[in-house]
Structures are given as structure tokens and as C-alpha cells.
Amino acid sequence: MRNRRALCGCVLLGLLLSLSIAGPLVSPWGWDDTDFTAFRQGPSARHWFGTTPSGRDVFALTLRGAQKSLLIGVSVAVVSTGLAALFGTVAGFVGGWTDRVLMWGVDLLLVLPSLLVLAVLSPRLGGHWLLLVPLLAAFLWMVTARAVRAMTLSVRERESVLAARFLGVGTPRLIARHIVPQLASLLVVDASVNVSVAVIAESALSFLGIGVRAPDVSLGTLIADGRGAATTYPWPFGCAAGLLVLIVLAVNLLGDGLRDVLDPLSPSRGGGR
Amino acid sequence: MAAFLLRRLANYAVLVVLAASLAYLLAAAALTPRANYEGRAPRPPEAVVDAQLTRFNLNDRTPLAERYGTWVAGLARGDFGRTWQGEPVNAELWRRLGVSLRLLVLGAVLGSALGVLAGAYAAVRRGRTADLLVTFLSYLVLAVPVFVLAVLLQIVASRTNQATGLRVFEWVGETTPGASDGPFGALGGLGDRVRHLLLPTATIALAQFALYSRYQRSMMLDVLQADFVRTARAKGLRRRDALLRHGLRTALIPMTTYFAYTSGLLLLGGMFTEKLFGWHGVGEWLIDSVTRGDVNAVAAVNCVAAAAVLLAGMASDVMYGVLDPRVRTGAVA
């Protein structure tokens, strides 16, 4: 890979992924263990990142949170980019009223304050973190869908697509086999951008207490718990916040690098190379 | 231009009305202000609670359509209804809107102006130290969510205060009670307000700065290669004039679209900033009202937010028109 940024992001993300998967296996403490002999301590050989005021191991907690954040982030990105691909291509390809109604729905969802809807709905759907995925994805696909639609409009007129159409290929098959593959680079780039958006959104919700909830932890809940004492006792806050920043940074680098490599019309082409 | 703006306005207005209605219906259907009364000791009789809730149009036993009708009728008179404790929403809304605007406008203007300038400068000095610095800074800040940024600034501020032995920075609330009673009178009160304003404004400005400098840098890079900048240089303009008058202006046009987009992010970021710095603004009110089940307050904040997005959209259209003459003559549109 010639792109330095993409490479940096990829390596960093790989490291974080392997840390969040391998870390809990190496750590002597489970994320829900409580050490009644160590409350609110700094890093030591026993507790690598220190302990929380209630005696839980910060290393284990942070990695558990990172796992959750990454899992939610990636699933949300995949679902929302899938939605964008579906609605965008259908709107662009079918056109007419379907197009108008779909794009109007996109506008409406953009105006609707997503945080309010999430705050109202998420406590009422039960506490399971998996439910956050469709909720977050529902508010992340609109801008991508617009871009997908615009590109579909031009791809639709290409000879290969026209030829397939005149051979009698049906609309669903045309979209799946002839349109979507031509948009692949846009979709890949967008999915990677959406990962960082989703990771931040998830931790923001959890920070407010309406995302992942106790007893389960995510980076957002850890930051919320740790911030009260952050000026005097920074370990829980610092570890969780640092890991969150590293994840987002890695994904952003990867996304921008991919955009430079895959998208010849990218506005940031050549930047930082 | 006027016809173009009017058409956009009509389009936006329909969207805002729909979004506001949907948000009210959602809030009214899902939130339960009744729970506030049930937690009280001694628990008030059912009939009393019902009567009270009905008075404020919050009774979940009234059909949703009827409550919505009452709400719309009130809204038509410019009345957002009452909170679950019976205070008028309007008064509280305007008060809190003032608090939020003081914070957001300053931070947003500062952050976006500095961001645009820094981004443009970085593009001109591409590959040099200044460019690397701006790019690195914006990458870093973009990766830091507002609620982490705010706490980090608070930590730095408390260290600074300890090191200097002075209360240079304040990070709780808008003012210190009794600040203007000191030896300096009203001037001391003003200084106190400024010190309270520093950190939250910096939080918002930094986040905006990162976004805008990133966008502006890439826009500017495209423009710098363009023929018309070379032509401007060739006809004898100095490099700086060519870059400012022809380069920056053209590079700003696509930015107007981002302006509308970032205003939504700004509102969201403002919410966290208010919550974390103890400013009693609109964002904090929304979060608190959702937890209290205060339907009318939630709906009111939502109306304002939708209107703000509309205004930002309109403003970006106007800016587009000002910057790009083709829109005014109707060649594009």
C-alpha cells in the first residue's frame, strides 16, 4: 500500500483490535471482578492501569469497553452503509416518485433531531446493547444515500448498464449486479468514515446514560464514571478516553487514506502523501 | 435570487413543521410525566394527578390526537405550553436560549473563522511545517469527542490554577454568585463572566476549528491548481491578492454546504458543553427534560432546533448566492 496514512491507520487499528481481543485473555482480572483490597489505586504490577473507586480493574474494564465500542461501531457502519446503498441506488435508478419520496424521507430524517429520538426510544427498547445498532444506523445513512443516489444517476447511463437493461435484466438484479459493484469504492470509504462516527455516537449516548448501561460497560460509561474525579485521580478517565481517541484516530486515518487511494475525485487527493 | 430563496424556504418550512410534529408525537407517546407524581410521598390521589396533568396537557390518558391538537393550537398563539410543574415553557425557553447563544455564537464564529483561515493557509504552505501542524492538530481534535475535550480542558485549567495560585479559569456555571460585589463592582462581574466563558467557548471553537480547517484545506488545494488563479497571477495580481480574492472566495463556495451541516453538529456539541460546564442552556434542558418526561419542554427545544437548522440552511443558501454569481442570475439553481 503506497498510502502512508491508510497504512498508519490500518496498523494502529490492527493493534487496538488485537489488544482488545487478546488483552482480556492475558489480564489476571475479569472486567466484572472486584478486588476488595485495592480501591482507587494507581497502576501497579497487580493492576496494570490501576483500579476504580469500587475496586474494579481499569485495564480489564477499558478493554471490555473498547471491544463493545468497536463491535457496535463496525456493525452500525455496515448496517448504515447497507441502508444507504439500498435506498440510494433504488432512488437513483428507479427515479420518478420513488426517488422523490425517498429523498424527501432523507431530508426529513436529517431535520429530525436524532439525539432526541435516540434518547426517547433507547430506554424503552430494553437495555440490550445490540438494539443500539439499528437505532444508530437509522440516523447515519442519509448523507451517504444522497451521494450514492448522485453516483447512481451517472452510472445508470453507462453502456454496460444499458446493455444489461436491454438484454432484459430485471431491476433488482441490475442494481445488485451492475450498479452496486461500480459504487464499491464510495461505499467502502463511507463505511470506514461511518465507523468513527458510530463509535463516537455510541460513547456519547453511553456517556449520557442512554446507550450501553450498567452492569455492562462501554468506553462512554467509563468516561462518564471517571470524569468526576478526573482532576485528582485520572486513571479510569484517562485510559478510557485515550483508547477512544486512538480508535477514532485510527479509523479516521484509514478512511481518509482509503479515500485518497480509491476515489480519484477525492477533494483531499494528494494531501499528506 | 428571491424566487430561488422562496422556493427553498417553502421546502424547509414543510420539513420543519413535519419534524416538529413528529418529535412532539414521539415525545408525547413515549415520555411519562405521570411518573414524577407517583414517586412523591405522600402519593397524591389519582384524580388530583389526572386533573393536574390534564391542565398542563400532559395526561397520557387523553388521546394522543387530542393532546397534539391542543399543542398545535397553543403553538399557533406562540405558546409552547407548560412544564410538568406548571411553569410556562416560553419564559424558560427564552432565558435558556440566551445562555446557549452567548456560548455557541462566540465559539462557532471564532472556531469557523480561524479554521477557514488556518485551512487556507495550510493549503498554500502545503507540505511545510505550518501545513503539517494544522493537519496534525485537526486530526487529533477530530478524534477527541466533545465530552472528552471538555474534561481535558478542565484538567489543564485546574493544573494552571494550582500552578499560578490564581483562579484564572472557571468551569462551573456562568458566573460566581456575588462576583460584582467585589472591590471592582460591575467590572469585576464582567471579568468573572469572561473567565467563565473562556473554557466552554474554547471547547466549541476547537471542535469547529478542526472541522473547518480540514474542509477548507482540501477545498483550497483544489482551487490552487485551477486555471483562473494562474490567470489572475498572469494578469499581474500579486500572489496574496490572487489567492485571497480569487482562490479563497471560490474555495468558500462548497463550504457553505458544510455550514448548514455543521450547525447540527454544533447544537449537539453545545449540549455536551453545557452539561459539562454547568451552563443552564437549552441543550442541558433537553437532556434533563427527557429524563423528567417533560413533553412540552422537549417539544419546544426541538422546535427551536429544527428552526435553527432551517435558518442555517437558509443562511448557507444566501451565502452561496453572495459568493457564486451564477446562482443569482439563475444559471445554476
Side-chain angles (χ1 to χ4, degrees), chain A residues 120-136:
Chain A
V120 169
L121 283 185
S122 116
R124 272 153 195 85
L125 290 176
H128 202 274
W129 62 268
L130 206 59
L131 286 167
L132 277 175
V133 173
L135 272 182
L136 282 172

Side-chain angles (χ1 to χ4, degrees), chain A:
Chain A
M1 222 190 275
R2 278 175 302 136
N3 189 292
R4 221 171 37 194
R5 249 191 292 179
L7 197 64
C8 279
C10 222
V11 169
L12 190 55
L13 199 62
L15 280 178
L16 289 169
L17 263 177
S18 43
L19 180 70
S20 74
I21 293 168
L25 303 177
V26 184
S27 165
W29 300 93
W31 65 277
D32 46 0
D33 288 346
T34 305
D35 184 353
F36 291 104
T37 61
F39 298 118
R40 223 186 125 133
Q41 286 188 346
S44 61
R46 202 167 141 81
H47 296 283
W48 299 337
F49 285 180
T51 54
T52 67
S54 54
R56 287 165 88 178
D57 186 68
V58 174
F59 181 76
L61 276 178
T62 319
L63 291 188
R64 167 82 180 182
Q67 264 181 17
K68 195 122 291 176
S69 291
L70 279 169
L71 194 59
I72 293 179
V74 172
S75 338
V76 168
V78 169
V79 173
S80 76
T81 305
L83 282 176
L86 179 67
F87 289 123
T89 47
V90 168
F93 191 80
V94 179
W97 275 103
T98 322
D99 181 25
R100 245 170 274 174
V101 169
L102 279 176
M103 283 305 111
W104 209 70
V106 163
D107 280 345
L108 186 63
L109 272 176
L110 279 174
V111 179
L112 207 64
S114 45
L115 193 109
L116 169 73
V117 181
L118 290 171
V120 169
L121 283 185
S122 116
R124 272 153 195 85
L125 290 176
H128 202 274
W129 62 268
L130 206 59
L131 286 167
L132 277 175
V133 173
L135 272 182
L136 282 172
F139 283 99
L140 280 183
W141 59 274
M142 292 91 71
V143 177
T144 316
R146 278 237 185 102
V148 169
R149 173 182 171 271
M151 276 195 72
T152 306
L153 287 179
S154 72
V155 168
R156 186 170 73 162
E157 305 302 329
R158 285 195 190 157
E159 280 89 351
S160 61
V161 178
L162 287 179
R165 183 143 54 153
F166 292 136
L167 282 174
V169 178
T171 305
R173 199 182 153 81
L174 256 178
I175 289 177
R177 285 295 179 79
H178 296 268
I179 305 270
V180 172
Q182 306 208 41
L183 304 178
S185 67
L186 172 79
L187 293 176
V188 168
V189 169
D190 234 277
S192 68
V193 171
N194 276 345
V195 172
S196 78
V197 177
V199 167
I200 289 190
E202 179 275 323
S203 54
L205 283 185
S206 304
F207 179 83
L208 291 177
I210 47 180
V212 172
R213 256 162 300 173
D216 217 336
V217 294
S218 91
L219 291 179
T221 62
L222 290 173
I223 291 171
D225 291 341
R227 86 174 166 93
T231 45
T232 51
Y233 175 64
W235 294 107
F237 170 78
C239 294
L243 211 53
L244 178 62
V245 170
L246 279 183
I247 290 176
V248 177
L249 194 64
V251 175
N252 279 349
L253 282 172
L254 182 64
D256 279 10
L258 278 180
R259 192 200 307 264
D260 286 350
V261 173
L262 292 176
D263 182 1
L265 292 176
S266 141
S268 60
R269 80 188 126 94
R273 223 177 277 175

Side-chain angles (χ1 to χ4, degrees), chain B residues 60-273:
Chain B
D60 48 343
R61 287 176 195 162
T62 317
L64 190 58
E66 203 174 303
R67 274 185 286 160
Y68 175 68
T70 317
W71 182 73
V72 169
L75 204 57
R77 294 192 309 271
D79 182 8
F80 280 113
R82 288 171 181 271
T83 65
W84 74 275
Q85 286 164 314
E87 287 139 25
V89 168
N90 285 41
E92 185 74 359
L93 181 68
W94 296 129
R95 200 182 62 70
R96 282 177 179 266
L97 209 55
V99 174
S100 290
L101 284 180
R102 258 204 305 279
L103 190 64
L104 291 178
V105 169
L106 198 63
V109 169
L110 213 65
S112 53
L114 286 178
V116 164
L117 286 179
Y121 185 70
V124 174
R125 313 275 301 172
R126 178 174 176 190
R128 314 268 188 90
T129 322
D131 179 25
L132 293 181
L133 201 70
V134 170
T135 308
F136 178 75
L137 196 70
S138 65
Y139 255 105
L140 196 66
V141 176
L142 272 185
V144 182
V146 180
F147 53 90
V148 173
L149 188 62
V151 180
L152 285 179
L153 284 180
Q154 287 176 359
I155 294 177
V156 171
S158 95
R159 292 280 148 87
T160 317
N161 281 354
Q162 273 169 13
T164 57
L166 298 167
R167 291 203 68 80
V168 186
F169 298 108
E170 298 277 355
W171 56 89
V172 180
E174 239 190 303
T175 54
T176 315
S180 36
D181 305 334
F184 302 110
L187 207 63
L190 188 70
D192 178 65
R193 273 182 182 270
V194 170
R195 280 187 294 144
H196 278 92
L197 201 56
L198 276 177
L199 288 183
T201 307
T203 308
I204 289 172
L206 266 176
Q208 293 278 307
F209 173 88
L211 265 181
Y212 276 90
S213 63
R214 270 281 290 293
Y215 288 142
Q216 184 64 38
R217 180 178 176 276
S218 54
M219 295 297 157
M220 197 73 182
L221 276 181
D222 279 359
V223 169
L224 286 183
Q225 318 288 333
D227 292 337
F228 59 82
V229 174
R230 199 176 41 196
T231 310
R233 287 277 281 145
K235 79 178 184 191
L237 278 186
R238 268 175 304 157
R239 182 174 148 84
R240 203 178 64 178
D241 289 337
L243 287 180
L244 282 180
R245 297 231 302 264
H246 295 266
L248 186 60
R249 177 175 172 152
T250 317
L252 271 174
I253 294 174
M255 293 290 291
T256 55
T257 326
Y258 289 119
F259 180 70
Y261 164 68
T262 50
S263 69
L265 288 180
L266 180 67
L267 286 176
L268 211 67
M271 202 143 81
F272 284 100
T273 314

Side-chain angles (χ1 to χ4, degrees), chain B residues 11-75:
Chain B
N11 192 16
Y12 280 131
V14 173
L15 278 176
V16 166
V17 168
L18 252 173
S21 300
L22 273 177
Y24 176 82
L25 291 173
L26 183 72
L31 300 178
T32 48
R34 183 182 294 275
N36 290 321
Y37 293 95
E38 281 168 357
R40 281 192 179 174
R43 192 166 159 175
E46 200 83 342
V48 176
V49 173
D50 261 343
Q52 188 84 331
L53 284 173
T54 309
R55 207 150 62 83
F56 304 145
N57 190 34
L58 293 171
N59 196 340
D60 48 343
R61 287 176 195 162
T62 317
L64 190 58
E66 203 174 303
R67 274 185 286 160
Y68 175 68
T70 317
W71 182 73
V72 169
L75 204 57

